Amino acid sequence: MTATIIDGKACAAKLRRQVAAHVARLNTDHGITPGLAVVLVGEDPVSQVYVRSKGKMTVEVGMHSIRHQLDADTSKADLLALIDQMNADSSVHGILVQLPLPKHLDEHLVINAIDPAKDVDGFHISNVGLLGTGQKSMVPCTPLGCLMLLRDHLGVLDGLGAVVIGRSNIVGKPMAQLLLNDNCTVTIAHSQTRDLPGVVRRADVVVAAVGRPGMVRSDWIKPGATVIDVGIKGGTRLTGDVDFEGAVAVAGAITPVPGGVGPMTIACLLANTVIACCRANGLPEPGGLTT
Ligand code: GUN
């Protein structure tokens, strides 16, 4: 058996086309152009690649792209002042502060200074709480992209056993919430988990979000399981958490790295920005974009 390769690149391109169509309609019908502001503090090369790519795709779907490049030694007061200014700017519908931040800046404090309605990353404490209680929120882009790929491939997820490997605030934890909201039986595994291979072997759905190349071995995968590999950036090269070559012979379906989850993340960021723009203007949210 050979697994179906889940084409995240194609799925993301389709989502971006839908976003572009909504942006065009907002523009012609209401004279509104959604705006996304991205803040990068310092010059981390990996973050620079992400931020450049986000800006390029924002423009491609017809939205305003605003970029703030700040020095690595920017003070907390200056960063918070910029966030206040963007919170108050009605032409900015989405705000993203690229993580990680330099050590002297408290990430929680900075993220929680963003207006939750403009928090297109879904990292603000109030969005986290809304997601955790099954209410309308901004949903973090990477787990949202993973969920869309899973729904696209499997249809309904009701009753499936899902294991999320990794418990980060950016991916693992919100991923588990989304799967739970979709009626999966969810296990969150992490570095202290006992018998990780055994835990993974029971799962119909595996989401690997650790950042350790090839750590998920193919003989851990339940035959026919659906495997989503979030992977990581190591230097500028993308590497998956799953032994892809081995897993492709066992899994029912698997995402490649690159070309799986990565492109979905940015497409979901653009979709979140359109949703935030509609909410800010009291307009109906585009149906079927991310749900
Ligand atoms: N750094 C790595 N991934 C992300 C993300 O999704 N959002 C932000 N803001 N920073 C990141």
Side-chain angles (χ1 to χ4, degrees), residues 106-171:
D106 177 343
E107 285 187 356
H108 294 298
L109 185 102
V110 169
I111 286 164
N112 291 328
I114 298 170
D115 177 349
K118 298 189 179 189
D119 169 37
V120 282
D121 259 331
F123 295 164
H124 190 288
I125 190 73
S126 78
N127 281 315
V128 175
L130 290 167
L131 179 65
T133 49
Q135 301 179 73
K136 196 162 89 171
S137 66
M138 278 289 148
V139 179
C141 306
T142 299
L144 179 58
C146 295
L147 182 74
M148 290 179 74
L149 292 177
L150 283 168
R151 284 178 175 169
D152 195 52
H153 181 70
L154 292 168
V156 288
L157 309 181
D158 294 2
L160 293 177
V163 62
V164 179
I165 314 173
R167 54 176 157 178
S168 70
N169 291 332
I170 294 183
V171 186

Side-chain angles (χ1 to χ4, degrees), residues 47 50 54 96-100 121 123 140-142 170-171 265:
S47 291
Y50 277 132
K54 283 167 184 169
L96 181 149
V97 177
Q98 187 67 29
L99 303 177
D121 259 331
F123 295 164
C141 306
T142 299
I170 294 183
V171 186
T265 297

Side-chain angles (χ1 to χ4, degrees), residues 15 17 39 45 74-75 110 115-116 124 135 137 144 169 173 179 185 193 226 235 247 261 263 273 291:
L15 180 55
R17 282 195 298 276
V39 181
T74 296
S75 70
V110 169
D115 177 349
H124 190 288
Q135 301 179 73
S137 66
L144 179 58
N169 291 332
K173 283 187 229 171
L179 292 166
T185 303
T193 296
T226 305
V261 174
T273 305
T291 50

